[in-house]
Amino acid sequence: MKILLVGAGGVGSAFCSIASRRDFFEEIVVADYDLARAEQAVVAVDRRFSAAQIDASSEDAVAELIRSRGITHVMNAVDPRFNMSIFRGTLAGGANYVDMAMSLSQRHPDKPYEETGVKLGDEQFEMEPQWKEAGLLALLGFGVEPGLANVFARYASDHLFSDIDELGTRDGSNLTVEGYEFAPSFSIWTTIEECLNPPVIWEKDRGWFVTEPFSEPEVFDFPEGIGPVECVNVEHEEVLLMPRWIECKRATFKYGLGDEFIDVLKTLHKLGLDRTEKVVVNSDKGPVGVSPRDVVAACLPNPATLGPQMKGKTCAGLWVTGTGKDGKPRSTYLYHVVDNEWSMAEYGHQCVVWQTAINPVVALELLANGTWSGVGVLGPECFDSVPFLELLTEYGSPWGQKELPV
């Protein structure tokens, strides 16, 4: 297996650190628009890694790099705004594909908080016939959320439940960042995209529909000392993936943001600073076009560098309710917790980016050794969950299961 890793940011660098301890691949080419950043990620690992420069917005550039380096699998670790150029370039170059976030959504033009417009992943699923014809696999949404949460959905369906009422992804933490009044632990560009778009919900009798941002608040008690966190509806890929392959009555995603974070996001929206369309501003070199959201991201600290100042744990998981295999009502939370102190000491990467990065490494190892295989555009739910969860534990990062009151 020869892997092209597109993106050498926080998650991409953590991916390299994790993969360097495994032997399932022959080579990883780390490519970034900023060659120096790719070289920095490579120097921290071993000789199987090499650096390259790439323009991820050019599908021709992606295809050419695939062909010139004999790449078999592309790992997309950049912002989802570049998904389709990488996705198409990978297909044109004749390689398999893995990403951690799907193609972007577009709001319904008339009823943005009632009906879906273009949904997350729609552009990618529309191309499934081409992937099948080429005999290639495009594995969508394989970070932690989406990704591990979707693996949990398959596990719950196969081994714990005979009938599922709700697949409810719940994400929360007790992380703090010393020295900053406001410092997100993940890409603010992606966080704005997820949190200010209309959240998607799926119901068996209704299909996919949307609500107002931050709707349906609830307090969820997260395990391993994190405790109660208020969670709200957020647009996320799990809701678009799970119902395609897992029988259930309802699918939701709720994120523990906290009042301060929500207030900041609402303020950015009121001021128009969440916009991606460029505005013209004056500079010492004359008028220039800049994206307000890119400016916000540039003004905040790089999440990948916050590890030494971060304290606490992050939890990703799936709350499943329904009827157990024994015919009795059941409520179970399947989860994965990472302590920032541990991930920094063991890998030198903060816990949020590390938790995101480990899951595609595990998935690629299962594809490399033939445990998993497939053709077309698929999600994590399409594969046997047990080998993944066993290998995740072997990597030194076990998952957990907690029974909740019915």
Side-chain angles (χ1 to χ4, degrees):
M1 177 180 282
K2 291 187 176 182
I3 301 168
L4 169 60
L5 172 66
V6 183
V11 175
S13 296
F15 179 98
C16 293
S17 295
I18 298 164
S20 68
R21 302 189 183 188
R22 310 299 295 185
D23 61 4
F24 66 87
F25 62 92
E26 180 182 346
E27 180 184 6
I28 294 182
V29 178
V30 183
D32 197 280
Y33 189 78
D34 182 352
L35 179 59
R37 191 161 68 162
E39 290 172 338
Q40 185 178 5
V42 166
V43 76
V45 282
D46 60 60
R47 293 181 179 179
R48 295 174 297 168
F49 295 77
S50 60
Q53 196 277 338
I54 192 171
D55 178 2
S57 67
S58 168
E59 58 186 87
D60 290 338
V62 173
E64 175 56 31
L65 188 54
I66 289 169
R67 297 189 193 103
S68 66
R69 300 299 291 267
I71 298 299
T72 62
H73 292 73
V74 171
M75 179 69 235
N76 179 357
V78 297
D79 283 340
R81 56 187 145 167
F82 299 107
N83 271 19
M84 290 312 297
S85 55
I86 300 172
F87 188 74
R88 295 190 185 100
T90 301
L91 178 62
N96 299 283
Y97 173 90
V98 181
D99 66 26
M100 294 176 280
M102 301 196 299
S103 58
L104 297 175
S105 63
Q106 298 176 28
R107 300 182 184 193
H108 190 281
D110 303 316
K111 299 179 179 179
Y113 300 114
E114 298 176 37
E115 299 180 14
T116 60
V118 176
K119 301 186 298 300
L120 292 171
D122 276 358
E123 289 184 85
Q124 290 171 299
F125 281 109
E126 286 175 2
M127 292 183 62
E128 184 175 26
Q130 293 99 302
W131 285 84
K132 283 186 173 180
E133 183 179 354
L136 296 169
L137 170 64
L139 180 50
L140 306 186
F142 221 129
V144 60
E145 291 175 342
L148 179 56
N150 306 65
V151 173
F152 286 148
R154 171 53 63 192
Y155 182 81
S157 178
D158 289 349
H159 302 283
L160 304 181
F161 288 80
S162 59
D163 187 64
I164 294 175
D165 291 334
E166 180 169 343
L167 295 168
T169 307
R170 298 293 184 269
D171 180 307
S173 75
N174 60 1
L175 293 170
T176 59
V177 183
E178 296 179 351
Y180 292 94
E181 290 189 24
F182 183 75
S185 58
F186 199 70
S187 163
I188 189 63
W189 198 100
T190 303
T191 302
I192 290 173
E193 182 73 18
E194 294 172 347
C195 295
L196 292 179
N197 276 345
V200 182
I201 296 171
W202 184 88
E203 293 179 355
K204 189 172 184 179
D205 297 332
R206 189 175 174 182
W208 286 293
F209 62 96
V210 295
T211 68
E212 295 276 351
F214 316 118
S215 58
E216 299 182 1
E218 68 178 35
V219 176
F220 189 83
D221 191 6
F222 288 91
E224 298 194 21
I226 294 175
V229 179
E230 184 176 77
C231 300
V232 294
N233 281 324
V234 168
E235 180 192 52
H236 232 251
E237 287 88 347
E238 293 88 334
V239 178
L240 284 308
L241 287 169
M242 291 177 183
R244 295 176 187 268
W245 295 287
I246 306 291
E247 285 288 331
C248 64
K249 296 181 178 67
R250 180 176 165 91
T252 59
F253 179 96
K254 292 190 178 183
Y255 193 8
L257 293 171
D259 290 339
E260 181 189 22
F261 207 127
I262 290 174
D263 287 343
V264 169
L265 291 171
K266 287 181 176 178
T267 300
L268 291 174
H269 179 62
K270 286 180 182 178
L271 297 174
L273 294 174
D274 60 326
R275 291 165 53 194
T276 58
E277 301 86 359
K278 290 185 177 181
V279 298
V280 177
V281 299
N282 292 322
S283 73
D284 57 0
K285 296 182 180 179
V288 294
V290 295
S291 158
R293 192 186 299 185
D294 287 343
V295 172
V296 172
C299 291
L300 290 170
N302 180 352
T305 67
L306 295 176
Q309 288 80 43
M310 286 174 61
K311 294 187 182 300
K313 300 176 181 178
T314 185
C315 178
L318 182 70
W319 182 16
V320 189
T321 59
T323 305
K325 295 291 188 183
D326 59 1
K328 298 178 181 179
R330 182 169 189 170
S331 178
T332 303
Y333 186 58
L334 303 164
Y335 65 89
H336 184 249
V337 170
V338 181
D339 188 319
N340 189 69
E341 183 179 359
W342 176 86
S343 66
M344 286 298 298
E346 184 71 16
Y347 283 90
H349 294 279
Q350 55 105 318
C351 58
V352 177
V353 297
W354 187 90
Q355 188 185 46
T356 304
I358 188 173
N359 295 285
V361 180
V362 174
L364 284 163
E365 181 161 347
L366 293 173
L367 292 170
N369 64 28
T371 302
W372 283 1
S373 62
V375 170
V377 180
L378 302 176
E381 305 87 345
C382 297
F383 302 88
D384 186 0
S385 60
V386 173
F388 183 94
L389 295 173
E390 289 178 345
L391 190 54
L392 181 66
T393 301
E394 182 186 312
Y395 272 50
S397 191
W399 58 286
Q401 179 175 324
K402 180 180 180 181
E403 298 302 317
L404 304 179
V406 176

